[in-house]
Amino acid sequence: MKRHAPQFLTGIALALALSTPLLVVQSATATAAEGNSVNARPDVVPALQQWEGGTGSFELRKHSRIVLAKKQVKELDEQGTQLSAEIEQVTGRKLHVSPRTPQDGDIVLSIDPALADPGGDARFAEEGYTLTVTDHNVTIAAPTATGVYYGTRSLLQILLLDDGRDSLPVGRAVDWPNYKVRGFMLDVGRRFFTADYIRDYLRLMGWFKLNQLQLHLNDNGFKGNKPSWSQVQAGFRLKTDNPELAGLASGDGAYDRADWESFEDTAAANAVTIIPEIDAPAHSLAFIRFRPSLGLNNGESDHLDLSKPETTAFMKSVFDEFIPWFRSPDVHFGADEYTVDKPRYKVYFNEMAAHIRALGKQPRAWGSLSVMATNSDGYDRNVTMNSWNNGWYGPQALKRDGYSFINTNDALLYIVPFAGYYHGHGLDGKYLYDQWEPHVFPGGQSVAPGDPQLLGAMSAVWNDLTEATYTELDVHGLVEPTFGVLAQKMWSGAKSGVPYSAFLDTVRKLGVGPGLMKVATTLAASASGEVSLGKEATASGGEAAAAFDGVRTTKWASGPGDDAWLQVDLGKPFAISEVELDWALAYGRDYEIQVSRDGENWTTAARRTGRETAGTDLLTFEPLTARHVRLLGTRAGRRHNGYALWSMRVLEIPDLALHRPTTASSSEVLSLAPENATDGDPKTRWASAYRDGEWIQVDLGSPQSVQRVLLDWETASGRDYDIQVSDDAASWKTVLSVRDKPQGARVDELVFAPVTARYVRIQGIKRSSSFGYSLFRFEVRSLSPWAD
């Protein structure tokens, strides 16, 4: 929330008086005074449980500090130091940490064990917080240090989303999670993930208030058609100096004690608990490779031979070795998908659960008792279960048998990267957002919201395809799109109060948070027509790419002086009409936006003079075609600092179909509705019935000049189709006929003679497959990028 919003003349209005595309934008000061309306709830992810808005805003001052409550300086010192570094990364402002009495402009952190809220109850007592904003101070108070940490996440997110990154709306938030477990499981047994990646994911989880990372530390691939298990990948990812276990750790990557300590330290700093999992007696090829005598069929198996007492003794020794590494109160011992010796499995299950408790930890396991036993009589009940499959052990059976359990349902929450099963290309975010919460299971197995046996939920990545060539960053690209959605539904359920597309827009802006070293956001491409994201950039000084990487916590800085430039190559000509600049504290006072088709001959499209603050500038100019766009600074707001930008976004002319009413002749299922093609989300799609001749159309709201249509087809694409327009959605005119397009997924960029119409339709004639027609994106624009 900014006190001053710069106002600009539009390029179209000014162009009527100009014979060139130059737009002169003079310095402008907002004339409207701040109103007295009550502040709306700030956008954070996950959404705040309660908000009581006030009027006005709190502004960071030049001498604002982070003040730690008296008598809690030692307990909060590390949080204060971390928050200071994060505020600097998010806002560019350095706030010192102080134990002194708060003054105007300070942010206060406080632990108050007596603080309570009847709505949050036990969950508030463990992880809740209050965020109180006045025009003088911001105070984050909580019963625990964990709650204070979560309050700082909301503070940082509000600052990051503010135009000037220096303001918060006056009001009071009371916030807590609905569920104790808000988790993510990563299979590192089948595929090694670097230590940097693990630490970054701990930070990312904290950013969205997720609190348990389960690391599946051993596993193996499938035998399939291979003649021997010796040809199958297997991994165990902990490396000890104990000579008795020398050779157990995988040669292609393992974590030593120092790595694990760094994980635990990072987890503690980000309110995450690491749940280590060592899985046996199935999925145990790594152990059998180490001790072949422990495996079934003389070691030709990935199942341990439980008939041998030394097998269980060995597994106990593994836990004996590594449990001292683990700070979590819970340790997972796997125990799934072992069907060869059910009586001995029961003995093993109970012995391992008791052994883990004897080592001071609470045991967890994968629910498998519906398959492994006629009934659960005699099984240790003091084990927390992951309910991963209704057939193996669903929530209703777990409830009947008295187990505490976590929703890790495979049909809804599993990703097997790039496989043809279990969400190989990422979870269904729209379904999760619109219909799922932790109590929801498929097959009529849902439990009541807040069921006392249901601890929460946990999504999972299983790297089944051990011979595939994808990378850990590819996995991040599959996980990130729904991380914010899952966090939302685990923390405060359906309280976000906005449509899925609007929620995703907030998630995109928030990115992955501060402090990450290896992982960056993959969601920066927005629905607003940005064409500069990730493109090649150069500058007179500084790291040019930072202005185009989509990460809101990195910035380009030119260095001192008035004269500087920043340039981006869009890769091909685009019809553009806007450039958005998000200035850091070193803002530009006077500058120009220049465009070029060849990178050598430049034309000024817009000019700004007399700007006085950091924040966002949106420069709008008459639509034109360009491949290269340049910011040319002529006078810096702070000459000794030069220029600094969080981002420079070049925007294509608007998509006229975005969020407009969209209808179709049919939809394959309700979730593949026509509006998915125009919602701005490149991962949602429309799909028709399985027949030729289906259509999809969009209502632009009023007659518009139309010249360009983009169709992003899924595999079920159109071979022959027509682009049609209409004024009344009754009489249609074909403006372009498309024939003999190839099979498979593709993007069709279609240009035709300009025509004025309110409705645009894709009329299918023949499909390219036995499926229907399916579109991720249906965009309509008024100018071709090849127009003169």
Side-chain angles (χ1 to χ4, degrees):
M1 177 179 293
K2 270 312 274 184
R3 290 173 295 178
H4 303 294
Q7 299 174 344
F8 304 100
L9 296 173
T10 66
I12 293 176
L14 189 57
L16 296 175
L18 297 175
S19 58
T20 73
L22 171 64
L23 169 60
V24 180
V25 186
Q26 300 294 337
S27 177
T29 302
T31 57
E34 284 191 357
N36 293 319
S37 59
V38 173
N39 292 322
R41 181 178 66 180
D43 290 328
V44 298
V45 176
L48 301 171
Q49 293 274 15
Q50 295 179 1
W51 170 256
E52 183 180 354
T55 60
S57 63
F58 167 86
E59 305 287 336
L60 289 174
R61 279 72 152 175
K62 183 177 180 180
H63 299 293
S64 290
R65 303 170 301 170
I66 298 169
V67 174
L68 310 181
K70 291 182 178 179
K71 300 181 180 180
Q72 296 167 354
V73 172
K74 184 176 181 180
E75 192 169 3
L76 290 172
D77 182 60
E78 290 185 3
Q79 277 209 46
T81 301
Q82 179 177 335
L83 180 60
S84 175
E86 291 169 333
I87 287 178
E88 184 174 18
Q89 188 175 351
V90 166
T91 71
R93 299 168 182 266
K94 178 68 175 179
L95 273 62
H96 294 292
V97 181
S98 172
R100 298 180 180 177
T101 302
Q103 300 174 354
D104 274 8
D106 288 345
I107 297 169
V108 182
L109 307 184
S110 172
I111 297 174
D112 181 0
L115 194 63
D117 183 83
D121 199 23
R123 296 270 50 79
F124 182 88
E126 292 183 18
E127 300 178 279
Y129 66 92
T130 62
L131 172 65
T132 305
V133 184
T134 70
D135 55 357
H136 297 285
N137 294 102
V138 176
T139 301
I140 296 171
T144 65
T146 296
V148 172
Y149 172 81
Y150 287 140
T152 65
R153 300 310 92 185
S154 295
L155 168 72
L156 288 165
Q157 289 189 12
I158 295 169
L159 287 171
L160 184 59
L161 295 176
D162 175 58
D163 283 347
R165 305 185 184 218
D166 63 354
S167 174
L168 292 90
V170 168
R172 185 173 188 267
V174 183
D175 202 18
W176 66 88
N178 289 341
Y179 289 92
K180 180 176 183 177
V181 174
R182 306 177 303 282
F184 171 60
M185 193 228 74
L186 181 62
D187 169 15
V188 299
R190 292 189 179 103
R191 185 174 295 261
F192 181 69
F193 287 72
T194 63
D196 284 342
Y197 187 97
I198 301 298
R199 288 187 288 264
D200 271 4
Y201 252 74
L202 291 164
R203 298 180 184 104
L204 174 55
M205 291 180 71
W207 184 237
F208 287 122
K209 302 185 178 79
L210 295 167
N211 70 343
Q212 291 193 7
L213 173 64
Q214 181 169 321
L215 290 177
H216 183 76
L217 292 165
N218 68 282
D219 213 321
N220 48 265
F222 304 115
K223 182 179 179 183
N225 295 323
K226 294 181 174 64
S228 169
W229 280 99
S230 65
Q231 298 176 319
V232 177
Q233 177 274 347
F236 180 77
R237 304 301 181 183
L238 297 180
K239 182 179 181 180
T240 176
D241 293 332
N242 184 343
E244 294 184 6
L245 295 176
L248 176 59
S250 301
D252 64 336
Y255 312 117
D256 61 20
R257 185 68 182 267
D259 290 327
W260 195 268
E261 286 295 316
S262 76
F263 297 165
E264 296 283 11
D265 289 343
T266 305
N270 292 277
V272 179
T273 299
I274 300 173
I275 307 297
E277 180 195 347
I278 299 174
D279 192 4
H283 307 283
S284 297
L285 187 57
F287 302 131
I288 295 168
R289 289 247 171 94
F290 181 67
R291 293 274 182 87
S293 63
L294 302 183
L296 286 172
N297 302 323
N298 296 315
E300 184 56 32
S301 173
D302 72 340
H303 283 35
L304 294 174
D305 186 348
L306 297 182
S307 70
K308 300 177 179 179
E310 58 265 32
T311 299
T312 302
F314 171 75
M315 290 310 305
K316 289 180 179 178
S317 74
V318 172
F319 283 93
D320 290 343
E321 177 67 26
F322 293 108
I323 275 184
W325 292 25
F326 308 147
R327 300 181 197 172
S328 167
D330 291 45
V331 170
H332 206 294
F333 66 103
D336 62 316
E337 297 185 303
Y338 185 90
T339 60
V340 295
D341 192 341
K342 294 182 180 181
R344 289 193 173 96
Y345 170 86
K346 180 178 182 179
V347 174
Y348 176 85
F349 184 97
N350 288 342
E351 282 196 32
M352 294 307 300
H355 188 70
I356 289 170
R357 275 196 298 274
L359 294 172
K361 304 293 185 180
Q362 168 65 25
R364 292 192 185 186
W366 295 103
S368 299
L369 299 191
S370 293
V371 173
M372 293 305 303
T374 304
N375 59 62
S376 61
D377 291 349
Y379 274 89
D380 191 322
R381 291 291 197 272
N382 189 17
V383 176
T384 302
M385 295 283 199
N386 289 85
S387 180
W388 67 276
N389 179 277
N390 287 353
W392 280 87
Y393 207 21
Q396 295 301 326
L398 283 155
K399 274 182 58 62
R400 177 199 66 213
D401 294 336
Y403 283 103
S404 295
F405 60 96
I406 298 163
N407 183 351
T408 319
N409 183 263
D410 56 350
L412 303 180
L413 300 175
Y414 274 19
I415 296 174
V416 176
F418 308 107
Y421 58 96
Y422 280 154
H423 306 287
H425 294 278
L427 300 179
D428 186 341
K430 192 171 191 305
Y431 165 81
L432 293 171
Y433 187 79
D434 290 340
Q435 302 183 47
W436 181 82
E437 287 191 36
H439 72 282
V440 173
F441 292 78
Q445 290 277 304
S446 295
V447 299
D451 186 296
Q453 291 175 238
L454 175 65
L455 301 182
M458 180 179 289
S459 62
V461 168
W462 295 100
N463 292 294
D464 291 8
L465 306 186
T466 56
E467 298 179 4
T469 58
Y470 61 86
T471 69
E472 60 185 11
L473 294 181
D474 293 330
V475 173
H476 171 63
L478 301 179
V479 172
E480 190 198 0
T482 50
F483 229 51
V485 172
L486 291 165
Q488 173 60 48
K489 301 316 274 297
M490 295 178 194
W491 180 276
S492 57
K495 290 190 177 181
S496 56
V498 297
Y500 178 59
S501 58
F503 179 83
L504 273 190
D505 189 51
T506 300
V507 172
R508 287 187 184 101
K509 292 174 181 176
L510 292 174
V512 291
L516 276 65
M517 306 298 293
K518 187 166 190 175
V519 173
T521 183
T522 64
L523 301 179
S526 70
S528 60
E530 181 180 0
V531 293
S532 53
L533 181 70
K535 297 299 174 63
E536 183 177 351
T538 54
S540 56
E543 183 57 47
F548 304 99
D549 62 5
V551 180
R552 291 170 61 88
T553 52
T554 62
K555 64 186 176 188
W556 165 71
S558 69
D562 282 324
D563 297 322
W565 55 267
L566 173 67
Q567 177 179 326
V568 61
D569 180 353
L570 304 179
K572 66 177 183 179
F574 282 94
I576 63 174
S577 60
E578 293 179 328
V579 173
E580 181 186 272
L581 304 171
D582 187 2
W583 289 106
L585 294 179
Y587 62 90
R589 180 177 175 85
D590 302 337
Y591 59 88
E592 296 180 1
I593 297 297
Q594 299 183 332
V595 297
S596 173
R597 293 197 178 199
D598 58 12
E600 295 181 1
N601 300 294
W602 296 89
T603 300
T604 298
R607 181 180 295 124
R608 180 76 158 97
T609 60
R611 182 173 177 80
E612 297 179 353
T613 63
T616 302
D617 268 353
L618 179 63
L619 279 70
T620 303
F621 42 86
E622 186 177 10
L624 47 80
T625 301
R627 172 173 171 169
H628 305 269
V629 181
R630 180 167 71 179
L631 165 71
L632 182 65
T634 56
R635 186 181 178 190
R638 300 179 177 184
R639 182 174 298 177
H640 60 284
N641 289 332
Y643 303 83
L645 279 173
W646 297 107
S647 67
M648 174 174 168
R649 302 172 69 236
V650 180
L651 306 176
E652 203 174 7
I653 59 171
D655 173 15
L656 302 175
L658 183 63
H659 302 312
R660 298 302 307 167
T662 307
T663 54
S665 54
S666 65
S667 292
E668 179 185 344
V669 293
L670 289 176
S671 62
L672 300 177
E675 59 265 27
N676 291 353
T678 55
D679 65 359
D681 183 354
K683 293 185 179 294
T684 60
R685 64 185 176 94
W686 163 71
S688 76
Y690 292 5
R691 55 178 177 254
D692 292 328
E694 299 299 297
W695 54 263
I696 182 173
Q697 69 187 46
V698 60
D699 178 359
L700 305 182
S702 62
Q704 304 282 341
S705 176
V706 175
Q707 189 178 359
R708 179 184 174 199
V709 168
L710 182 145
L711 303 176
D712 185 359
W713 293 101
E714 197 244 359
T715 305
S717 55
R719 194 191 87 167
D720 302 336
Y721 59 90
D722 290 339
I723 308 296
Q724 299 181 331
V725 297
S726 174
D727 293 327
D728 57 8
S731 299
W732 294 90
K733 173 186 176 182
T734 298
V735 295
L736 186 67
S737 294
V738 180
R739 299 292 184 267
D740 296 322
K741 282 291 186 178
Q743 292 184 352
R746 64 176 192 274
V747 176
D748 292 346
E749 293 191 66
L750 308 168
V751 179
F752 42 86
V755 61
T756 299
R758 173 172 173 172
Y759 300 89
V760 180
R761 180 166 74 176
I762 312 304
Q763 176 63 62
I765 297 174
K766 189 172 183 60
R767 297 164 290 159
S768 69
S769 71
S770 61
F771 300 100
Y773 302 85
S774 183
L775 284 170
F776 288 108
R777 290 182 293 157
F778 174 14
E779 298 179 359
V780 179
R781 301 185 192 273
S782 62
L783 182 67
S784 162
W786 301 280
D788 291 329

